[in-house]
Amino acid sequence: MQRRYTKLLLSATGALLLLLMMVSCAADKTLADDELLLHRVRVMADTKDLDASRLQPYVKQQAHGSLFSRKKVVYDSLLTQRTCADMASAMQNMGYLDATVESQTHLKGRKVDVSYLLHPGEPYFIRNIDYDIQDERIAQLLQLDQTDNQMLKEGVRFSVDQLDQERKRITKLLNDQGYYKFHKDYITFSVDSMHGSRLLDVTMHLHPYFVHKDSAASPHPLYMIRHVNFVSGDGGKIHLREKVLRENTRIEEGKPYSSSDLQKTYNLFGRLAAVRYTGVKFTEVTDSSLLTPVGGDLQFPYLSPHSSLLDCQVQVSTGKPNSLSFQPEGTNTAGNLGAAASLTYENRNLFRGAETFSVQLRGAFEAITGLEGYQNEDYEEYSLESKLVFPRFILPFVSKNYRRRSTATSELSVSYNLQNRPEFQRRLFNAAWRYRWTDTPKHTNYRVDVIDLNYINMPWISATFKHDYLDSVSNRNAILRYNYEDLFIMKIGFSMSHAHGSNAYKLNVETAGNLLKATSLILNKKENDHGQYTLFGIAYAQYAKADFDFTHVHRFSPVNELVVHAGFGIAYPYGNSRVLPFEKRYFSGGANSVRGWNVRGLGPGKFRGTNGAIDFINQTGDMKLDLNAEYRTDLFWKLRGAFFIDAGNIWTLRAYDEQPGGQFRWNEFYKQIAVAYGLGVRLNFDYFVLRFDMGMKAINPAYETKEEHYAIIHPRLSRDFVFHFAVGLPF
């Protein structure tokens, strides 16, 4: 059998190499006699002060996208010359005013490699900064803005981008102070240099206001908001309460115009599920007699001969409030095939305040194989989940003004899940109250679980399962017994996620049982026969848990990238618990973990599963480590390829007899880190990704022989190969 797999692998490898040679040869044959194939492009700098990769986007002609790409690039020397000119200009804008670029080509047959050598020279620095502001009121305003946010400072390195960022900063500052018609073209810079010196004098010019280029100059007008009105974009009545409209509008009557308030208004209405479209229109009040409000209801303390008023109209379009959806799906749990379906009703404007109310009914069925001694061999699951989301912060003893400024949503959820298996019946009830909010400028999301209550009920356990695994003297499994008893879990938690640019991270912290334990001690409750405090006669879990995930993407080109990921989690049962609840335990292996192992097939530590019927719970732990690196590249059409290396494992914090070798020890854990490698193919349909990953074990911590331990040296497909199918990327 081993020879057969080895022969098959060698044949596949040979066929792939032959295909690549044929593709390469075919590309060469399509070239004309005077054409060369652009094979490789490199960008290098003669100094460590400049990161050459920053100039990569200025390359006008890239080599062919990937190893398998059918698109080949014919070399164009004119594009090389344009690239040199653009790179030199870019470095000059970065403060290297004496920068030059040269190109070198290297021929090998019909292929050419191009190297761009960057000679930036020495950078220039700002010596003095002067201001020429031809508007007295703005000059006074900017004098008060001497903050660390200023982009121009004496002694810093000069760059054109720095000048442009300062223009944008001042423009935004003035737009937020009522200068509705101010734009960055009113700001220019002049730069003077001294001969033989790398010091520059910079002057910022802020020009006066012009209605048009032939009109006389005047101070920039300041605009105040007179009226804010709401109109329906659907041609009828707005299906939202007036209070809700006002709470989500940051543009206020009697205050200066602010572009930031305008953007906040768009953001707030955009998060309302009931709102389909929002448009904000400003109209200048041109009649001078209207500059003074009738009746004196509005106060405009900043009005002057160069001030004006704006009327604001907020157009709101609401979608249909009710929807009904049906979602069928297929399931595959450890080879047992089944089907599931869900029916969801949603109302996106329950109380005319953009509240979202949803009810989901789900059913699933699987035919379980390989079980002996059980009357029924089917798995059935039914669940009912209801959720109500308020698009505002609901909390007593909090001021109205604070609730209005907050962008948090409040969520109440209740669910009931019924599971019938051949071995047991399980019921899960959940009720939770939580807050969610987003810090858009920082690209960060937050969630606070104020209370999350779970009740796990085991109404029936089959006699066979109970005899073999729960009551048998020869197999007293503490982890198994704990997770087949009725249990309360009352937790609080906090989580945050950040994704911006090349980096993303997630953090989650939760704790359970502390409030119940304190209540039990205050009320002088007695422990049960197992040394546990109870609630309504049912034991409750007590633990602390923390998880952290980090992902970094390094893009070599638009179609080639390296993604690295690290994940760490730890949970510690204490007080009322010696074992973590099954839902809170960690597992390793599978499509999103160490892909050389099946799901829940790795660990803990060097533990080796021997009983397939209960290894799903034996192969769990209190600590998890995942380390992944994946190189991704475009193939053709919608296909993407990947090569990956995964490492990690799980461990227990306590020693359990049923998990020998599974406890974390400082002098042993690094020897128990499993390693896998493999290839993946992905179908990218933009809105979802179908993923096929083929993993191989490289280092196996749960081994019986040396060959099995170092599987990368002694590969055996029948033992080490695992195929995964999943939807979405692994990290």
Side-chain angles (χ1 to χ4, degrees):
M1 182 64 71
Q2 174 67 16
R3 288 184 178 180
R4 179 183 176 186
Y5 281 116
T6 304
K7 185 176 180 181
L8 180 62
L9 181 61
L10 291 174
S11 299
T13 304
L16 179 61
L17 292 174
L18 180 61
L19 177 62
L20 293 176
M21 293 174 61
M22 293 174 62
V23 170
S24 178
C25 293
D28 289 347
K29 290 181 179 179
T30 59
L31 295 172
D33 293 340
D34 59 343
E35 291 181 333
L36 296 173
L37 181 68
L38 182 59
H39 176 251
R40 183 179 300 160
V41 175
R42 294 192 301 169
V43 180
M44 300 173 292
D46 64 2
T47 176
K48 294 182 179 180
D49 293 338
L50 177 65
D51 183 4
S53 63
R54 296 179 59 185
L55 280 298
Q56 189 71 38
Y58 293 92
V59 177
K60 298 295 183 183
Q61 190 179 29
Q62 300 283 357
H64 56 80
S66 67
L67 182 63
F68 302 99
S69 176
R70 296 180 297 177
K71 181 181 179 181
K72 306 302 178 183
V73 180
V74 177
Y75 172 65
D76 188 335
S77 60
L78 292 178
L79 293 179
T80 300
Q81 296 176 20
R82 288 177 55 191
T83 297
C84 290
D86 288 355
M87 284 183 170
S89 178
M91 286 190 290
Q92 290 164 7
N93 289 340
M94 295 164 61
Y96 298 97
L97 301 187
D98 304 321
T100 60
V101 181
E102 64 174 307
S103 62
Q104 295 180 351
T105 57
H106 177 71
L107 291 175
K108 187 176 182 180
R110 303 295 301 277
K111 298 179 181 179
V112 59
D113 293 344
V114 180
S115 298
Y116 294 99
L117 305 179
L118 311 178
H119 306 294
E122 294 294 327
Y124 282 66
F125 293 84
I126 297 176
R127 185 181 66 169
N128 294 317
I129 303 174
D130 292 322
Y131 296 91
D132 173 27
I133 302 176
Q134 302 176 36
D135 188 303
E136 183 178 351
R137 188 164 51 184
I138 291 180
Q140 294 175 355
L141 182 63
L142 294 183
Q143 282 182 352
L144 300 175
D145 183 52
Q146 302 297 322
T147 65
D148 292 336
N149 294 327
Q150 290 180 290
M151 302 301 296
L152 290 181
K153 296 179 181 179
E154 296 178 355
V156 302
R157 180 183 294 185
F158 170 82
S159 75
V160 173
D161 179 67
Q162 205 173 35
L163 301 183
D164 191 56
Q165 291 299 320
E166 181 68 359
R167 293 173 72 201
K168 293 178 180 178
R169 189 190 70 84
I170 293 177
T171 300
K172 184 179 183 306
L173 173 68
L174 296 179
N175 286 159
D176 287 345
Q177 296 293 328
Y179 291 93
Y180 171 64
K181 291 188 176 181
F182 191 91
H183 52 79
K184 69 176 185 178
D185 291 341
Y186 282 110
I187 300 175
T188 60
F189 293 92
S190 59
V191 180
D192 295 325
S193 62
M194 299 177 59
H195 181 70
S197 171
R198 291 186 291 106
L199 299 177
L200 302 174
D201 293 334
V202 178
T203 302
M204 188 193 83
H205 307 276
L206 195 150
H207 304 283
Y209 176 71
F210 293 90
V211 177
H212 50 78
K213 64 178 181 179
D214 296 326
S215 64
S218 65
H220 288 270
L222 178 71
Y223 286 84
M224 309 294 293
I225 303 298
R226 185 177 70 150
H227 295 310
V228 177
N229 299 312
F230 301 92
V231 297
S232 172
D234 306 314
K237 180 181 178 182
I238 301 178
H239 301 288
L240 290 169
R241 299 193 305 272
E242 176 78 13
K243 179 181 178 182
V244 175
L245 296 174
R246 295 289 177 183
E247 285 180 346
N248 288 280
T249 303
R250 291 295 180 263
I251 304 165
E252 297 185 42
E253 298 173 346
K255 291 190 176 181
Y257 164 84
S258 169
S259 61
S260 293
D261 289 344
L262 173 61
Q263 186 58 53
K264 289 176 183 177
T265 299
Y266 276 118
N267 293 341
L268 289 171
F269 276 99
R271 71 192 183 101
L272 301 182
V275 175
R276 180 171 51 88
Y277 167 80
T278 306
V280 181
K281 179 181 179 181
F282 294 95
T283 304
E284 185 174 357
V285 179
T286 57
D287 190 342
S288 59
S289 65
L290 298 177
L291 291 178
T292 302
V294 178
D297 293 334
L298 299 179
Q299 300 296 322
F300 303 107
Y302 302 111
L303 281 181
S304 71
H306 300 292
S307 299
S308 189
L309 296 175
L310 292 174
D311 283 342
C312 175
Q313 185 183 80
V314 181
Q315 186 183 70
V316 180
S317 298
T318 55
K320 295 181 179 180
N322 300 307
S323 67
L324 189 66
S325 61
F326 177 75
Q327 180 68 46
E329 58 184 278
T331 63
N332 183 351
T333 305
N336 298 318
L337 300 178
S342 60
L343 182 67
T344 304
Y345 165 77
E346 186 175 69
N347 184 311
R348 291 177 288 273
N349 196 19
L350 184 64
F351 305 121
R352 294 185 61 239
E355 301 88 356
T356 301
F357 173 73
S358 63
V359 177
Q360 183 185 73
L361 177 64
R362 184 180 185 273
F365 174 85
E366 281 185 2
I368 300 177
T369 59
L371 288 179
E372 297 181 0
Y374 297 92
Q375 296 180 354
N376 187 10
E377 293 189 354
D378 296 330
Y379 169 70
E380 297 177 359
E381 179 182 355
Y382 304 97
S383 64
L384 178 66
E385 180 180 10
S386 181
K387 186 181 298 184
L388 179 60
V389 179
F390 299 88
R392 49 194 171 274
F393 190 55
I394 299 178
L395 187 68
F397 312 114
V398 174
S399 69
K400 178 181 177 181
N401 189 42
Y402 179 82
R403 288 198 300 268
R404 188 175 183 273
R405 294 197 311 268
S406 172
T407 60
T409 62
S410 307
E411 178 183 308
L412 172 66
S413 64
V414 179
S415 66
Y416 181 75
N417 181 273
L418 179 151
Q419 302 173 8
N420 290 337
R421 289 186 59 90
E423 309 97 324
F424 56 83
Q425 293 179 357
R426 202 163 187 246
R427 310 289 184 259
L428 293 91
F429 173 80
N430 170 263
W433 177 262
R434 59 178 57 94
Y435 300 109
R436 302 176 191 266
W437 71 95
T438 300
D439 187 341
T440 303
K442 296 182 179 180
H443 309 276
T444 307
N445 297 313
Y446 301 91
R447 190 185 83 180
V448 173
D449 295 320
V450 179
I451 185 170
D452 190 330
L453 177 64
N454 295 267
Y455 170 50
I456 303 170
N457 174 242
M458 305 293 298
W460 176 83
I461 300 176
S462 73
T464 301
F465 188 83
K466 191 175 182 181
H467 175 270
D468 291 347
Y469 301 111
L470 302 183
D471 295 339
S472 175
V473 177
S474 61
N475 189 23
R476 290 192 179 275
N477 190 317
I479 300 176
L480 197 66
R481 290 178 62 89
Y482 181 78
N483 285 282
Y484 285 91
E485 298 173 350
D486 293 353
L487 183 68
F488 269 118
I489 304 175
M490 191 175 81
K491 75 178 184 72
I492 59 174
F494 169 80
S495 65
M496 65 182 298
S497 63
H498 170 87
H500 183 58
S502 300
N503 298 318
Y505 66 80
K506 297 178 182 178
L507 172 68
N508 182 76
V509 179
E510 65 181 65
T511 182
N514 295 327
L515 181 59
L516 294 177
K517 182 67 174 291
T519 304
S520 298
L521 295 176
I522 292 173
L523 297 178
N524 199 25
K525 293 284 186 178
K526 301 299 183 181
E527 299 176 344
N528 62 12
D529 295 339
H530 301 289
Q532 298 172 307
Y533 292 99
T534 62
L535 177 66
F536 306 121
I538 301 171
Y540 52 84
Q542 192 173 10
Y543 65 87
K545 184 178 183 181
D547 298 276
F548 180 77
D549 276 271
F550 173 77
T551 303
H552 173 75
V553 180
H554 182 80
R555 291 180 174 85
F556 300 99
S557 71
V559 295
N560 294 283
E561 63 185 23
L562 175 66
V563 184
V564 293
H565 166 261
F568 175 76
I570 186 169
Y572 182 69
Y574 61 91
N576 219 45
S577 300
R578 284 188 54 80
V579 178
L580 277 176
F582 179 74
E583 288 79 8
K584 302 300 178 180
R585 298 182 69 82
Y586 296 102
F587 64 88
S588 190
N592 300 319
S593 184
V594 187
R595 283 167 280 186
W597 279 259
N598 285 313
V599 62
R600 302 181 186 272
L602 173 60
K606 61 181 180 180
F607 171 77
R608 185 183 183 94
T610 57
N611 190 335
I614 59 171
D615 280 341
F616 74 95
I617 198 167
N618 279 338
Q619 296 199 256
T620 59
D622 309 319
M623 179 189 296
K624 181 177 182 178
L625 175 66
D626 267 332
L627 301 170
N628 314 87
E630 185 170 281
Y631 180 81
R632 299 168 182 169
T633 183
D634 278 3
L635 300 179
F636 56 89
W637 185 54
K638 296 183 180 297
L639 282 177
R640 300 203 75 194
F643 170 73
F644 58 83
I645 299 176
D646 300 329
N649 205 334
I650 56 173
W651 293 269
T652 62
L653 297 182
R654 289 191 174 100
Y656 298 104
D657 294 338
E658 51 274 4
Q659 295 175 308
Q663 186 181 17
F664 178 86
R665 298 182 184 277
W666 285 106
N667 61 342
E668 291 287 335
F669 85 96
Y670 62 91
K671 302 175 185 178
Q672 299 167 357
I673 295 178
V675 181
Y677 63 97
L679 296 173
V681 177
R682 289 83 193 274
L683 274 168
N684 187 354
F685 293 104
D686 295 330
Y687 49 93
F688 74 96
V689 176
L690 294 180
R691 176 160 55 95
F692 306 89
D693 285 339
M694 296 161 284
M696 285 284 292
K697 295 180 178 66
I699 300 176
N700 187 352
Y703 59 91
E704 292 183 340
T705 64
K706 183 178 180 180
E707 288 75 13
E708 189 178 8
H709 186 193
Y710 297 103
I712 190 171
I713 303 175
H714 310 280
R716 183 187 301 172
L717 291 180
S718 60
R719 180 194 65 198
D720 304 325
F721 176 81
V722 178
F723 176 79
H724 299 285
F725 168 72
V727 177
L729 296 174
F731 40 81

